[in-house]
Amino acid sequence: MKKTIVAATILVAGCSSDPATEAPVTLEAGLYEVTVGGGTLVEFKSGKRTEQICFWSADAVTFPTNPLVHTIGEWDNCTSQLDDPRGNAISGARLCDRKAPMKVAYSGSHTTNSFDIRGTVTQGSGEGGGVMRLGSGDFAIVGKRVGNC
């Protein structure tokens, strides 16, 4: 019985790896089904919740450094704070200079054929920066390779 418990504990510990400590892999080029979740300003230009996006080889290679531009596109009056990828971990932010300043902070990870990005949209500045406004809150962008382009 003790051997079974020890083996199960080692197996579970081995499966729960940290993407930041994994050997980096490149996202495979191809057609991805991408879903945006959450009730925030983070959405596809079409307004749909799920779209198919073709990642060409160059897109797949640069995806970890700027995943938002490859999924939801650029936004007016915004700049990106791009963190260098660590292993297969992804993180960064998008800062927008608007009437109510906005920050989109995100983190996540990718494998060779999928990605999962979670983040938060906050609007406002100063002490009221955390005040809930329409379009603020948590979001997710999840994608899985479904074929070739």
Side-chain angles (χ1 to χ4, degrees):
M1 180 73 171
K2 285 185 180 182
K3 290 181 184 178
T4 305
I5 294 172
V6 171
T9 303
I10 291 171
L11 182 61
V12 170
C15 293
S16 58
S17 66
D18 175 7
T21 62
E22 294 173 352
V25 297
T26 301
L27 193 67
E28 198 175 328
L31 187 64
Y32 283 76
E33 183 170 278
V34 182
T35 302
V36 174
T40 69
L41 295 170
V42 176
E43 62 185 10
F44 297 118
K45 292 185 189 295
S46 67
K48 295 179 182 176
R49 303 305 273 170
T50 300
E51 286 195 3
Q52 290 193 337
I53 300 174
C54 183
F55 285 83
W56 300 105
S57 294
D59 300 327
V61 169
T62 61
F63 175 82
T65 59
N66 196 353
L68 296 185
V69 76
H70 291 290
T71 52
I72 60 170
E74 297 279 357
W75 291 351
D76 293 337
N77 302 318
C78 296
T79 58
S80 295
Q81 286 184 336
L82 307 176
D83 297 341
D84 289 331
R86 292 169 288 115
N88 296 311
I90 301 168
S91 63
R94 182 176 280 183
L95 306 172
C96 302
D97 185 19
R98 299 180 174 179
K99 185 176 180 181
M102 181 174 64
K103 180 178 182 179
V104 179
Y106 61 88
S107 63
S109 63
H110 71 93
T111 65
T112 56
N113 61 6
S114 66
F115 54 87
D116 188 333
I117 302 166
R118 308 290 168 145
T120 303
V121 176
T122 54
Q123 298 180 70
S125 59
E127 291 180 26
V131 173
M132 186 58 115
R133 296 177 189 250
L134 185 61
S136 295
D138 297 332
F139 69 89
I141 303 173
V142 179
K144 181 161 180 57
R145 189 174 188 279
V146 294
N148 297 322
C149 297

PDB file of all heavy atoms in Angstrom, residues 19-45:
ATOM      1  N   PRO A  19       4.948  26.199 -16.367  1.00  0.00           N
ATOM      2  CA  PRO A  19       5.317  26.530 -17.748  1.00  0.00           C
ATOM      3  C   PRO A  19       6.579  27.384 -17.848  1.00  0.00           C
ATOM      4  O   PRO A  19       7.303  27.305 -18.831  1.00  0.00           O
ATOM      5  CB  PRO A  19       4.103  27.283 -18.280  1.00  0.00           C
ATOM      6  CG  PRO A  19       2.970  26.854 -17.429  1.00  0.00           C
ATOM      7  CD  PRO A  19       3.564  26.565 -16.077  1.00  0.00           C
ATOM      8  N   ALA A  20       6.865  28.191 -16.833  1.00  0.00           N
ATOM      9  CA  ALA A  20       8.046  29.054 -16.865  1.00  0.00           C
ATOM     10  C   ALA A  20       9.338  28.254 -16.760  1.00  0.00           C
ATOM     11  O   ALA A  20      10.392  28.724 -17.193  1.00  0.00           O
ATOM     12  CB  ALA A  20       7.981  30.078 -15.743  1.00  0.00           C
ATOM     13  N   THR A  21       9.271  27.044 -16.216  1.00  0.00           N
ATOM     14  CA  THR A  21      10.476  26.232 -16.055  1.00  0.00           C
ATOM     15  C   THR A  21      10.598  25.145 -17.122  1.00  0.00           C
ATOM     16  O   THR A  21      11.576  24.411 -17.149  1.00  0.00           O
ATOM     17  CB  THR A  21      10.512  25.576 -14.661  1.00  0.00           C
ATOM     18  OG1 THR A  21       9.385  24.710 -14.518  1.00  0.00           O
ATOM     19  CG2 THR A  21      10.504  26.634 -13.559  1.00  0.00           C
ATOM     20  N   GLU A  22       9.613  25.046 -18.001  1.00  0.00           N
ATOM     21  CA  GLU A  22       9.650  24.046 -19.075  1.00  0.00           C
ATOM     22  C   GLU A  22      10.611  24.480 -20.175  1.00  0.00           C
ATOM     23  O   GLU A  22      10.846  25.674 -20.372  1.00  0.00           O
ATOM     24  CB  GLU A  22       8.256  23.875 -19.695  1.00  0.00           C
ATOM     25  CG  GLU A  22       7.237  23.292 -18.764  1.00  0.00           C
ATOM     26  CD  GLU A  22       5.825  23.312 -19.367  1.00  0.00           C
ATOM     27  OE1 GLU A  22       5.621  23.911 -20.440  1.00  0.00           O
ATOM     28  OE2 GLU A  22       4.941  22.732 -18.737  1.00  0.00           O
ATOM     29  N   ALA A  23      11.142  23.513 -20.891  1.00  0.00           N
ATOM     30  CA  ALA A  23      11.951  23.830 -22.069  1.00  0.00           C
ATOM     31  C   ALA A  23      11.048  24.518 -23.090  1.00  0.00           C
ATOM     32  O   ALA A  23       9.952  24.028 -23.372  1.00  0.00           O
ATOM     33  CB  ALA A  23      12.539  22.557 -22.661  1.00  0.00           C
ATOM     34  N   PRO A  24      11.449  25.676 -23.620  1.00  0.00           N
ATOM     35  CA  PRO A  24      10.591  26.406 -24.561  1.00  0.00           C
ATOM     36  C   PRO A  24      10.266  25.582 -25.807  1.00  0.00           C
ATOM     37  O   PRO A  24      11.131  24.894 -26.346  1.00  0.00           O
ATOM     38  CB  PRO A  24      11.417  27.629 -24.946  1.00  0.00           C
ATOM     39  CG  PRO A  24      12.468  27.746 -23.905  1.00  0.00           C
ATOM     40  CD  PRO A  24      12.716  26.361 -23.385  1.00  0.00           C
ATOM     41  N   VAL A  25       9.007  25.668 -26.228  1.00  0.00           N
ATOM     42  CA  VAL A  25       8.564  25.043 -27.468  1.00  0.00           C
ATOM     43  C   VAL A  25       7.968  26.134 -28.355  1.00  0.00           C
ATOM     44  O   VAL A  25       7.557  27.183 -27.876  1.00  0.00           O
ATOM     45  CB  VAL A  25       7.521  23.920 -27.233  1.00  0.00           C
ATOM     46  CG1 VAL A  25       8.123  22.787 -26.426  1.00  0.00           C
ATOM     47  CG2 VAL A  25       6.265  24.453 -26.567  1.00  0.00           C
ATOM     48  N   THR A  26       7.944  25.878 -29.650  1.00  0.00           N
ATOM     49  CA  THR A  26       7.373  26.827 -30.596  1.00  0.00           C
ATOM     50  C   THR A  26       5.948  26.408 -30.922  1.00  0.00           C
ATOM     51  O   THR A  26       5.693  25.233 -31.184  1.00  0.00           O
ATOM     52  CB  THR A  26       8.212  26.878 -31.890  1.00  0.00           C
ATOM     53  OG1 THR A  26       9.541  27.262 -31.551  1.00  0.00           O
ATOM     54  CG2 THR A  26       7.639  27.877 -32.882  1.00  0.00           C
ATOM     55  N   LEU A  27       5.043  27.361 -30.899  1.00  0.00           N
ATOM     56  CA  LEU A  27       3.673  27.110 -31.319  1.00  0.00           C
ATOM     57  C   LEU A  27       3.708  26.669 -32.778  1.00  0.00           C
ATOM     58  O   LEU A  27       4.402  27.266 -33.600  1.00  0.00           O
ATOM     59  CB  LEU A  27       2.850  28.394 -31.165  1.00  0.00           C
ATOM     60  CG  LEU A  27       1.342  28.280 -31.254  1.00  0.00           C
ATOM     61  CD1 LEU A  27       0.780  27.497 -30.072  1.00  0.00           C
ATOM     62  CD2 LEU A  27       0.719  29.673 -31.287  1.00  0.00           C
ATOM     63  N   GLU A  28       2.977  25.628 -33.092  1.00  0.00           N
ATOM     64  CA  GLU A  28       2.959  25.099 -34.455  1.00  0.00           C
ATOM     65  C   GLU A  28       2.086  25.981 -35.348  1.00  0.00           C
ATOM     66  O   GLU A  28       1.009  26.404 -34.953  1.00  0.00           O
ATOM     67  CB  GLU A  28       2.384  23.677 -34.410  1.00  0.00           C
ATOM     68  CG  GLU A  28       2.679  22.840 -35.601  1.00  0.00           C
ATOM     69  CD  GLU A  28       2.176  21.410 -35.418  1.00  0.00           C
ATOM     70  OE1 GLU A  28       2.163  20.915 -34.283  1.00  0.00           O
ATOM     71  OE2 GLU A  28       1.783  20.816 -36.432  1.00  0.00           O
ATOM     72  N   ALA A  29       2.558  26.264 -36.546  1.00  0.00           N
ATOM     73  CA  ALA A  29       1.753  27.024 -37.511  1.00  0.00           C
ATOM     74  C   ALA A  29       0.519  26.210 -37.867  1.00  0.00           C
ATOM     75  O   ALA A  29       0.540  24.986 -37.843  1.00  0.00           O
ATOM     76  CB  ALA A  29       2.572  27.316 -38.761  1.00  0.00           C
ATOM     77  N   GLY A  30      -0.589  26.900 -38.179  1.00  0.00           N
ATOM     78  CA  GLY A  30      -1.799  26.206 -38.571  1.00  0.00           C
ATOM     79  C   GLY A  30      -3.048  26.978 -38.216  1.00  0.00           C
ATOM     80  O   GLY A  30      -2.995  28.149 -37.807  1.00  0.00           O
ATOM     81  N   LEU A  31      -4.184  26.329 -38.366  1.00  0.00           N
ATOM     82  CA  LEU A  31      -5.485  26.920 -38.084  1.00  0.00           C
ATOM     83  C   LEU A  31      -5.854  26.636 -36.632  1.00  0.00           C
ATOM     84  O   LEU A  31      -5.839  25.479 -36.199  1.00  0.00           O
ATOM     85  CB  LEU A  31      -6.535  26.329 -39.019  1.00  0.00           C
ATOM     86  CG  LEU A  31      -7.922  26.952 -38.973  1.00  0.00           C
ATOM     87  CD1 LEU A  31      -7.869  28.418 -39.424  1.00  0.00           C
ATOM     88  CD2 LEU A  31      -8.880  26.165 -39.858  1.00  0.00           C
ATOM     89  N   TYR A  32      -6.197  27.678 -35.887  1.00  0.00           N
ATOM     90  CA  TYR A  32      -6.536  27.557 -34.473  1.00  0.00           C
ATOM     91  C   TYR A  32      -7.972  28.001 -34.238  1.00  0.00           C
ATOM     92  O   TYR A  32      -8.411  29.014 -34.792  1.00  0.00           O
ATOM     93  CB  TYR A  32      -5.602  28.418 -33.611  1.00  0.00           C
ATOM     94  CG  TYR A  32      -4.246  27.791 -33.437  1.00  0.00           C
ATOM     95  CD1 TYR A  32      -3.309  27.800 -34.461  1.00  0.00           C
ATOM     96  CD2 TYR A  32      -3.908  27.162 -32.245  1.00  0.00           C
ATOM     97  CE1 TYR A  32      -2.074  27.206 -34.316  1.00  0.00           C
ATOM     98  CE2 TYR A  32      -2.668  26.566 -32.077  1.00  0.00           C
ATOM     99  CZ  TYR A  32      -1.756  26.591 -33.115  1.00  0.00           C
ATOM    100  OH  TYR A  32      -0.539  25.988 -32.952  1.00  0.00           O
ATOM    101  N   GLU A  33      -8.675  27.242 -33.426  1.00  0.00           N
ATOM    102  CA  GLU A  33      -9.988  27.678 -32.960  1.00  0.00           C
ATOM    103  C   GLU A  33      -9.727  28.422 -31.660  1.00  0.00           C
ATOM    104  O   GLU A  33      -9.181  27.857 -30.703  1.00  0.00           O
ATOM    105  CB  GLU A  33     -10.916  26.496 -32.724  1.00  0.00           C
ATOM    106  CG  GLU A  33     -12.312  26.961 -32.313  1.00  0.00           C
ATOM    107  CD  GLU A  33     -13.311  25.828 -32.304  1.00  0.00           C
ATOM    108  OE1 GLU A  33     -13.812  25.503 -33.399  1.00  0.00           O
ATOM    109  OE2 GLU A  33     -13.563  25.293 -31.221  1.00  0.00           O
ATOM    110  N   VAL A  34     -10.083  29.711 -31.643  1.00  0.00           N
ATOM    111  CA  VAL A  34      -9.778  30.581 -30.511  1.00  0.00           C
ATOM    112  C   VAL A  34     -11.085  31.075 -29.909  1.00  0.00           C
ATOM    113  O   VAL A  34     -11.970  31.552 -30.625  1.00  0.00           O
ATOM    114  CB  VAL A  34      -8.903  31.780 -30.963  1.00  0.00           C
ATOM    115  CG1 VAL A  34      -8.554  32.659 -29.772  1.00  0.00           C
ATOM    116  CG2 VAL A  34      -7.645  31.289 -31.671  1.00  0.00           C
ATOM    117  N   THR A  35     -11.195  30.958 -28.597  1.00  0.00           N
ATOM    118  CA  THR A  35     -12.386  31.392 -27.873  1.00  0.00           C
ATOM    119  C   THR A  35     -12.009  32.474 -26.880  1.00  0.00           C
ATOM    120  O   THR A  35     -11.009  32.351 -26.172  1.00  0.00           O
ATOM    121  CB  THR A  35     -13.026  30.204 -27.122  1.00  0.00           C
ATOM    122  OG1 THR A  35     -13.340  29.180 -28.072  1.00  0.00           O
ATOM    123  CG2 THR A  35     -14.286  30.628 -26.392  1.00  0.00           C
ATOM    124  N   VAL A  36     -12.809  33.539 -26.842  1.00  0.00           N
ATOM    125  CA  VAL A  36     -12.637  34.620 -25.873  1.00  0.00           C
ATOM    126  C   VAL A  36     -13.761  34.511 -24.858  1.00  0.00           C
ATOM    127  O   VAL A  36     -14.933  34.425 -25.231  1.00  0.00           O
ATOM    128  CB  VAL A  36     -12.678  36.006 -26.564  1.00  0.00           C
ATOM    129  CG1 VAL A  36     -12.636  37.114 -25.539  1.00  0.00           C
ATOM    130  CG2 VAL A  36     -11.544  36.139 -27.557  1.00  0.00           C
ATOM    131  N   GLY A  37     -13.401  34.503 -23.590  1.00  0.00           N
ATOM    132  CA  GLY A  37     -14.394  34.426 -22.527  1.00  0.00           C
ATOM    133  C   GLY A  37     -14.309  35.626 -21.610  1.00  0.00           C
ATOM    134  O   GLY A  37     -13.290  36.305 -21.536  1.00  0.00           O
ATOM    135  N   GLY A  38     -15.394  35.907 -20.910  1.00  0.00           N
ATOM    136  CA  GLY A  38     -15.447  37.047 -20.000  1.00  0.00           C
ATOM    137  C   GLY A  38     -16.248  38.175 -20.616  1.00  0.00           C
ATOM    138  O   GLY A  38     -16.395  38.249 -21.834  1.00  0.00           O
ATOM    139  N   GLY A  39     -16.747  39.054 -19.815  1.00  0.00           N
ATOM    140  CA  GLY A  39     -17.564  40.162 -20.304  1.00  0.00           C
ATOM    141  C   GLY A  39     -16.796  41.460 -20.334  1.00  0.00           C
ATOM    142  O   GLY A  39     -17.244  42.470 -19.800  1.00  0.00           O
ATOM    143  N   THR A  40     -15.608  41.445 -20.952  1.00  0.00           N
ATOM    144  CA  THR A  40     -14.761  42.642 -20.957  1.00  0.00           C
ATOM    145  C   THR A  40     -14.649  43.227 -22.360  1.00  0.00           C
ATOM    146  O   THR A  40     -15.257  42.738 -23.302  1.00  0.00           O
ATOM    147  CB  THR A  40     -13.335  42.295 -20.461  1.00  0.00           C
ATOM    148  OG1 THR A  40     -12.702  41.482 -21.440  1.00  0.00           O
ATOM    149  CG2 THR A  40     -13.366  41.571 -19.124  1.00  0.00           C
ATOM    150  N   LEU A  41     -13.820  44.244 -22.478  1.00  0.00           N
ATOM    151  CA  LEU A  41     -13.539  44.865 -23.776  1.00  0.00           C
ATOM    152  C   LEU A  41     -12.659  43.985 -24.651  1.00  0.00           C
ATOM    153  O   LEU A  41     -12.461  44.291 -25.824  1.00  0.00           O
ATOM    154  CB  LEU A  41     -12.848  46.220 -23.562  1.00  0.00           C
ATOM    155  CG  LEU A  41     -13.701  47.278 -22.853  1.00  0.00           C
ATOM    156  CD1 LEU A  41     -12.848  48.481 -22.473  1.00  0.00           C
ATOM    157  CD2 LEU A  41     -14.860  47.699 -23.729  1.00  0.00           C
ATOM    158  N   VAL A  42     -12.125  42.906 -24.088  1.00  0.00           N
ATOM    159  CA  VAL A  42     -11.300  41.978 -24.854  1.00  0.00           C
ATOM    160  C   VAL A  42     -12.234  41.098 -25.672  1.00  0.00           C
ATOM    161  O   VAL A  42     -12.967  40.275 -25.131  1.00  0.00           O
ATOM    162  CB  VAL A  42     -10.408  41.132 -23.919  1.00  0.00           C
ATOM    163  CG1 VAL A  42      -9.632  40.093 -24.705  1.00  0.00           C
ATOM    164  CG2 VAL A  42      -9.467  42.034 -23.138  1.00  0.00           C
ATOM    165  N   GLU A  43     -12.222  41.328 -26.991  1.00  0.00           N
ATOM    166  CA  GLU A  43     -13.106  40.577 -27.878  1.00  0.00           C
ATOM    167  C   GLU A  43     -12.558  40.635 -29.293  1.00  0.00           C
ATOM    168  O   GLU A  43     -11.672  41.426 -29.604  1.00  0.00           O
ATOM    169  CB  GLU A  43     -14.524  41.141 -27.839  1.00  0.00           C
ATOM    170  CG  GLU A  43     -14.630  42.578 -28.312  1.00  0.00           C
ATOM    171  CD  GLU A  43     -16.018  43.171 -28.161  1.00  0.00           C
ATOM    172  OE1 GLU A  43     -16.874  42.554 -27.518  1.00  0.00           O
ATOM    173  OE2 GLU A  43     -16.238  44.264 -28.693  1.00  0.00           O
ATOM    174  N   PHE A  44     -13.096  39.784 -30.145  1.00  0.00           N
ATOM    175  CA  PHE A  44     -12.744  39.818 -31.558  1.00  0.00           C
ATOM    176  C   PHE A  44     -13.447  41.003 -32.211  1.00  0.00           C
ATOM    177  O   PHE A  44     -14.516  41.429 -31.777  1.00  0.00           O
ATOM    178  CB  PHE A  44     -13.178  38.526 -32.268  1.00  0.00           C
ATOM    179  CG  PHE A  44     -12.491  37.299 -31.753  1.00  0.00           C
ATOM    180  CD1 PHE A  44     -13.208  36.275 -31.168  1.00  0.00           C
ATOM    181  CD2 PHE A  44     -11.116  37.157 -31.868  1.00  0.00           C
ATOM    182  CE1 PHE A  44     -12.577  35.136 -30.700  1.00  0.00           C
ATOM    183  CE2 PHE A  44     -10.469  36.017 -31.402  1.00  0.00           C
ATOM    184  CZ  PHE A  44     -11.209  35.010 -30.819  1.00  0.00           C
ATOM    185  N   LYS A  45     -12.865  41.524 -33.274  1.00  0.00           N
ATOM    186  CA  LYS A  45     -13.482  42.653 -33.993  1.00  0.00           C
ATOM    187  C   LYS A  45     -14.874  42.297 -34.506  1.00  0.00           C
ATOM    188  O   LYS A  45     -15.735  43.149 -34.607  1.00  0.00           O
ATOM    189  CB  LYS A  45     -12.589  43.098 -35.147  1.00  0.00           C
ATOM    190  CG  LYS A  45     -11.292  43.732 -34.675  1.00  0.00           C
ATOM    191  CD  LYS A  45     -10.485  44.263 -35.833  1.00  0.00           C
ATOM    192  CE  LYS A  45      -9.112  44.706 -35.453  1.00  0.00           C
ATOM    193  NZ  LYS A  45      -8.954  45.796 -34.585  1.00  0.00           N
TER     194      LYS A  45
END
